[in-house]
Amino acid sequence: MGRGKVIVISIDAMFNSDVEVMRKKKNLGRLFSNSSMVERVHCIYPTYTYPCHASIMTGCYPNRHGICHNELFQINKDSHDWYWWAKDIKVPTMVDVAKENGLTTATVCWPVMGGKNVADYTIAEIWAPKREDDPAPRFDEANSPNVKHIFEKHKSELNHMKTPEFDNFATDCAVDIIKEFSPDLLFVHLSYVDHQRHNCGIETEKILHAIDFVDEKVGEIIKAVEETGNYDDTTFVVLGDHGHMMVNANVQINQILAQKGYITHDGEKVIDWKIMAHPSSFSAEIYTKDIDKDEAKKVLEEIQKEYPQYIERVMTRFEVEEIYHLSGAFDFVIEGVNNIIFGPSLTGDFVRKPQKGDYKTSVSTHGFAPEKGDNPPFVICGNKADAGKRVKEARLVDEAPTIMKLFGIEMKNTDGKVIQGLLK
């Protein structure tokens, strides 16, 4: 059997409990009818989209690939920059390895893969600073020049970072890339299931409309592959990135630090600070400056004792790296009690009810330690799958070596390894 082609479809926040429903759908069911799968994939910390996708793409934990959060730690900035750029990944990606082995590559709205010279055909996941701004300048920075005409054709579909519009845009761009360039390895990221879980909750039954939508998008991708005549020679990999948990309360952790004198502000802007949290929903990375680390640790531990109903653990950067393979410029990480998330606000209510909208404030979200919450599946579909085989567990970092094995390529120096029992 030759190398063939591979299309990796990330359905953001796809749970293992979704699979049986997806099997009954027209297009996902078609793929899953000839598939092998891992039922429970153990995630990385924090269970946030960008660190997770960097681990999927590299086979490495965040302490090696360098993506520790969705957003950069930035103070007094209304719209934070995200980790959009592939240059921030510190280890080789599947795209790098594929290109070294003579394969053509494409990434469509895949997190942390922006850059003109990353994949052969790149449509980045990126957006303008404000909803009303023209997205073209940002995309022009991040996209491959040879797909500018595809971006221009579909950019009117964009509504900032909102879904389902972003998924419509991603699918239409992927379809055109398949038809025009037929890359050997294509990655596409679809976010609507995740966004609807944020709004509606974690149960599969509450997001059936989102599963129907994604099934339609997958059908459009399948149709494009069929039109190129490559369907029988294409392996589809369908995966999720993280789980979710329901939210009971949103605690503004920086308000506590401000009340204790470690952040000074004028109600709108931070004037100075010694300890500040960069929340990742169910956890938060804690930065310090101009304060002894032992003193800062005592402060955080005292806050935990004062608010045990909100804070489960305080970990130093050394502890969190040893336990979860997470590192960064932060000095501590706090993990919330189940169903408690952390927010960044310095004013307003200290404890807030969850609400629909932003993933940081929503009724269901992620960012917790990887032993918590639901697990995503990992499904290999097509003639290279050992159809019907089920593997109970694997790790997110095992996915990249397994995907590259579909081409007969060994991905070296990863934290993960090829998952046995999925391939013929």
Side-chain angles (χ1 to χ4, degrees), residues 8-205:
V8 182
I9 302 173
S10 169
I11 302 176
D12 203 303
M14 174 187 176
F15 296 176
N16 51 17
S17 57
D18 297 333
V19 171
E20 291 312 309
V21 171
M22 290 179 171
R23 286 186 185 281
K24 299 174 184 176
K25 301 301 176 183
K26 177 182 177 181
N27 301 300
L28 286 164
R30 177 182 176 184
L31 295 181
F32 290 176
S33 67
N34 184 27
S35 69
S36 57
M37 70 174 289
V38 178
E39 295 176 356
R40 296 173 59 86
V41 175
H42 294 279
C43 202
I44 52 90
Y45 195 37
T47 47
Y48 250 16
T49 297
Y50 278 45
C52 287
H53 277 82
S55 285
I56 293 167
M57 182 59 78
T58 63
C60 293
Y61 288 106
N63 63 336
R64 290 187 60 202
H65 64 57
I67 309 303
C68 63
H69 200 284
N70 283 352
E71 301 178 5
L72 278 64
F73 177 59
Q74 296 170 317
I75 297 172
N76 294 331
K77 187 165 184 176
D78 294 334
S79 177
H80 285 225
D81 294 322
W82 287 48
Y83 283 97
W84 290 308
W85 306 100
K87 63 180 176 57
D88 292 323
I89 298 178
K90 298 176 181 178
V91 295
T93 67
M94 282 190 276
V95 166
D96 297 322
V97 175
K99 291 173 73 173
E100 288 172 1
N101 284 272
L103 301 174
T104 54
T105 59
T107 62
V108 180
C109 300
W110 191 276
V112 207
M113 289 304 290
K116 291 181 181 297
N117 299 309
V118 182
D120 296 298
Y121 314 106
T122 298
I123 301 285
E125 178 162 297
I126 200 168
W127 42 84
K130 296 179 181 179
R131 188 170 181 173
E132 63 271 18
D133 292 343
D134 181 1
R138 274 268 172 91
F139 277 92
D140 284 346
E141 285 184 72
N143 290 351
S144 303
N146 55 6
V147 292
K148 183 176 176 63
H149 62 292
I150 293 176
F151 168 76
E152 291 292 336
K153 178 181 175 182
H154 299 296
K155 69 178 181 180
S156 63
E157 299 175 35
L158 290 166
N159 181 15
H160 200 233
M161 59 186 295
K162 302 296 182 182
T163 58
E165 294 94 332
F166 214 102
D167 284 1
N168 285 326
F169 167 79
T171 303
D172 288 345
C173 289
V175 164
D176 282 1
I177 287 172
I178 291 167
K179 289 181 177 179
E180 184 171 349
F181 301 110
S182 192
D184 298 312
L185 176 60
L186 169 79
F187 297 88
V188 60
H189 174 225
L190 302 175
S191 303
Y192 192 51
V193 166
D194 177 65
H195 288 202
Q196 289 305 292
R197 282 203 148 103
H198 286 304
N199 287 331
C200 304
I202 62 175
E203 294 88 350
T204 299
E205 292 72 21

Side-chain angles (χ1 to χ4, degrees), residues 247-267:
V247 177
N248 290 342
N250 183 352
V251 176
Q252 307 309 302
I253 186 67
N254 282 330
Q255 281 194 35
I256 301 174
L257 292 166
Q259 290 167 6
K260 294 184 177 296
Y262 296 98
I263 301 172
T264 57
H265 62 92
D266 62 7

